[in-house]
Amino acid sequence: HPEYSTPECSNLRELVAHDKAGERIVWECAQKHARLGLDTRIYKNNTDYHGASYGTHECLLMLRDVAPDTLIRSLIPFLVTRPIYAGCGKVGMEVDRGSQAVFQLSQRADFFSVEASVDTLHNRPLVNTRDEPHATPRKYRRLHVIVGDAHMSEISNFLKVGTTALVLSMIEDDWFARASREFPLQSPVASMRRVSYDLDLTLPLELADGRTMTALELQWEHLDLARKYAEERGLDAVGGAEVGYDILRRWEHVLA
């Protein structure tokens, strides 16, 4: 079970390139292993299909002064619905041992059981609250995202991390509350699994205020807020206007 970590990156395209470089490094190691006469296969995935799962973790630098409750409330609806374009796909189900012949959008969705905690291996949370900033602790914290899938596609990686970084910038600026557009889910963990099995993107998710919205509708709402945010605040937080508008353009393209 080899693991690879990118270096710290300040540019989204740089991050995508380093992730691809990690694949090359692992491949070279596998080739050396194979030359010893050993059968070698490499899988870039998130489950062994025997009940064990391992994450593709994203780490994003964020401001320390964001209240944890605000972070959790604002981030969960986005992370729960992100698999409609950031899931890598999976055949089978491992939590509810029913029919195995199903396809779902996310490899990780079956393995989460709580909304927030510091754990990563047991009782996995949708929002991981581990606090290891790797920077000036008084000013920064590190958002440790563990719900994501591994990707071979550079575009999927670009979108997965780019949209998350943009939403995080909006949370830091209290943008959801300012716009009076928040989308707290009634049952986030159950909603995550519901999204993963919703291949037509039509299943309603119940919000805490009684409304219902599909995962696709929730992502359109986030994109609309991100567009308005970009117009008013700019996109320096995600690597500048060129990268930021590329995120918005590709985000709109996949939703459409």
Side-chain angles (χ1 to χ4, degrees), residues 6-20 58-60 82 153-166 235-248 250-251:
T6 71
E8 294 173 347
C9 300
S10 59
N11 180 281
L12 184 56
R13 293 194 177 100
E14 185 180 292
L15 176 65
V16 173
H18 277 296
D19 185 75
K20 189 57 62 173
E58 306 146 59
C59 297
L60 297 97
R82 189 181 70 164
S153 164
E154 294 94 330
I155 297 299
S156 294
N157 265 337
F158 182 87
L159 268 175
K160 178 179 72 172
V161 180
T163 56
T164 305
L166 188 47
L235 291 165
D236 290 340
V238 289
E242 180 185 356
V243 173
Y245 285 112
D246 199 11
I247 295 168
L248 292 173
R250 293 180 188 276
W251 194 358

Side-chain angles (χ1 to χ4, degrees), residues 41-201:
R41 298 172 184 170
I42 300 294
Y43 300 96
K44 189 179 183 183
N45 64 8
N46 298 100
T47 175
D48 65 358
Y49 290 94
H50 295 284
S53 178
Y54 25 88
T56 299
H57 294 182
E58 306 146 59
C59 297
L60 297 97
L61 190 71
M62 65 172 292
L63 296 176
R64 168 69 62 184
D65 58 8
V66 176
D69 287 348
T70 299
L71 175 66
I72 293 166
R73 182 180 69 252
S74 300
L75 191 60
I76 280 181
F78 169 75
L79 291 180
V80 163
T81 54
R82 189 181 70 164
I84 67 174
Y85 55 83
C88 72
K90 171 184 175 180
V91 176
M93 54 196 298
E94 296 170 85
V95 175
D96 301 315
R97 297 284 184 176
S99 170
Q100 298 295 305
V102 296
F103 182 84
Q104 52 178 309
L105 301 178
S106 169
Q107 292 206 357
R108 288 282 276 169
D110 278 341
F111 296 96
F112 291 89
S113 56
V114 297
E115 293 182 25
S117 82
V118 299
D119 214 339
T120 58
L121 295 177
H122 307 286
N123 296 318
R124 291 184 179 93
L126 299 175
V127 176
N128 184 254
T129 55
R130 176 189 291 176
D131 191 2
E132 297 173 3
H134 296 204
T136 305
R138 296 185 306 278
K139 188 174 181 181
Y140 298 110
R141 65 180 297 161
R142 176 171 61 107
L143 178 63
H144 186 219
V145 181
I146 68 172
V147 298
D149 289 354
H151 289 287
M152 297 298 293
S153 164
E154 294 94 330
I155 297 299
S156 294
N157 265 337
F158 182 87
L159 268 175
K160 178 179 72 172
V161 180
T163 56
T164 305
L166 188 47
V167 168
L168 184 59
S169 294
M170 289 159 46
I171 293 172
E172 288 179 324
D173 282 346
D174 204 23
W175 192 252
F176 291 92
R178 290 170 188 263
S180 299
R181 288 169 67 185
E182 296 185 286
F183 316 99
L185 293 165
Q186 181 66 34
S187 304
V189 174
S191 294
M192 180 89 172
R193 296 180 187 173
R194 189 172 177 84
V195 169
S196 187
Y197 290 93
D198 181 16
L199 304 188
D200 296 323
L201 310 185

Side-chain angles (χ1 to χ4, degrees), residues 1-2 26-27 29-35 37-45 54:
H1 189 152
V26 173
W27 174 250
C29 294
Q31 293 298 96
K32 291 182 179 180
H33 198 248
R35 284 196 286 271
L38 301 169
D39 185 27
T40 305
R41 298 172 184 170
I42 300 294
Y43 300 96
K44 189 179 183 183
N45 64 8
Y54 25 88

